[in-house]
Amino acid sequence: MQDKYCINKYSINESVCLNLENAGPEYDTVRNDVLKDASTLKNHVSLMTTIPAIILSLILGYWMDKYPGHLRYLSSVASLAIVCQNIMIIHQCLHFEMGADTLLWANLVTAFTGSGIIIALGTFTYATRKTPAKFRAVRFTIIELCLFATMPTASLLAGGKLESKPWFSSQLRNY
């Protein structure tokens, strides 16, 4: 987001935008504006995904109890929505000149399908149904560890990949 705003909206040289945190004091205003715009966009994405997730979480618990066979269909829809989101993000990376605000469209599919909440509820529902009562605490602990370990691991790996030399010559970073 920050690179898109810096290069496309503020028309700053790519070499400066790729190292904006180390740019001189003459770029302080641009740096602050880019960070403000990126934070605003991230907040919009959070609101756009959180509000439907709250509403869906109120409905899905009852639905999964009432129609247990539908869990696989809900999980399939959630997975397809995430695949669609990733295709849209890849399109954004390949067509970098598109505005950063169009990244909201990529999150729209997962927001309306409730992908994150469906996968979380579905995982715990499946574990509850398929695990004997005496092993549920262990199974839930393993699920929680796996869920919470993914974010720092993904951030670590993605940060290293972004900082490495681009794999494709047409890309500014390894988006």
Side-chain angles (χ1 to χ4, degrees):
M1 285 186 238
Q2 292 177 10
D3 289 341
K4 276 183 159 291
Y5 276 120
C6 185
I7 293 169
N8 296 336
K9 183 176 179 181
Y10 296 106
S11 303
I12 305 295
N13 188 347
E14 291 174 0
S15 62
V16 174
C17 287
L18 294 178
N19 293 310
L20 194 58
E21 67 277 0
N22 297 325
E26 64 272 14
Y27 292 104
D28 282 347
T29 304
V30 172
R31 183 183 309 118
N32 290 336
D33 289 342
V34 166
L35 290 173
K36 179 188 69 147
D37 290 340
S39 295
T40 301
L41 183 62
K42 186 62 180 164
N43 285 336
H44 287 146
V45 168
S46 294
L47 282 173
M48 189 172 76
T49 55
T50 301
I51 292 171
I54 291 170
I55 295 168
L56 281 172
S57 66
L58 295 173
I59 298 167
L60 286 177
Y62 171 76
W63 191 3
M64 286 184 185
D65 288 340
K66 182 94 170 147
Y67 306 106
H70 290 177
L71 181 59
R72 78 185 102 212
Y73 303 120
L74 289 172
S75 298
S76 299
V77 168
S79 298
L80 287 174
I82 291 171
V83 168
C84 182
Q85 177 188 31
N86 287 325
I87 289 171
M88 293 171 85
I89 290 172
I90 290 169
H91 179 68
Q92 286 278 332
C93 291
L94 294 175
H95 299 284
F96 199 77
E97 68 280 355
M98 295 175 76
D101 293 334
T102 56
L103 286 169
L104 286 172
W105 291 104
N107 292 291
L108 197 60
V109 176
T110 55
F112 285 128
T113 58
S115 296
I117 195 73
I118 288 175
I119 291 172
L121 282 174
T123 302
F124 284 103
T125 302
Y126 182 81
T128 302
R129 290 183 183 153
K130 300 295 183 179
T131 305
K134 67 180 184 176
F135 296 122
R136 282 189 192 142
V138 173
R139 175 86 41 109
F140 286 162
T141 302
I142 292 170
I143 291 171
E144 290 286 339
L145 286 173
C146 291
L147 285 174
F148 289 118
T150 56
M151 290 303 257
T153 304
S155 295
L156 180 70
L157 294 174
K161 190 189 303 183
L162 278 175
E163 289 299 317
S164 66
K165 183 179 179 249
W167 295 349
F168 302 102
S169 60
S170 62
Q171 292 290 306
L172 301 173
R173 298 183 199 245
N174 285 320
Y175 296 113

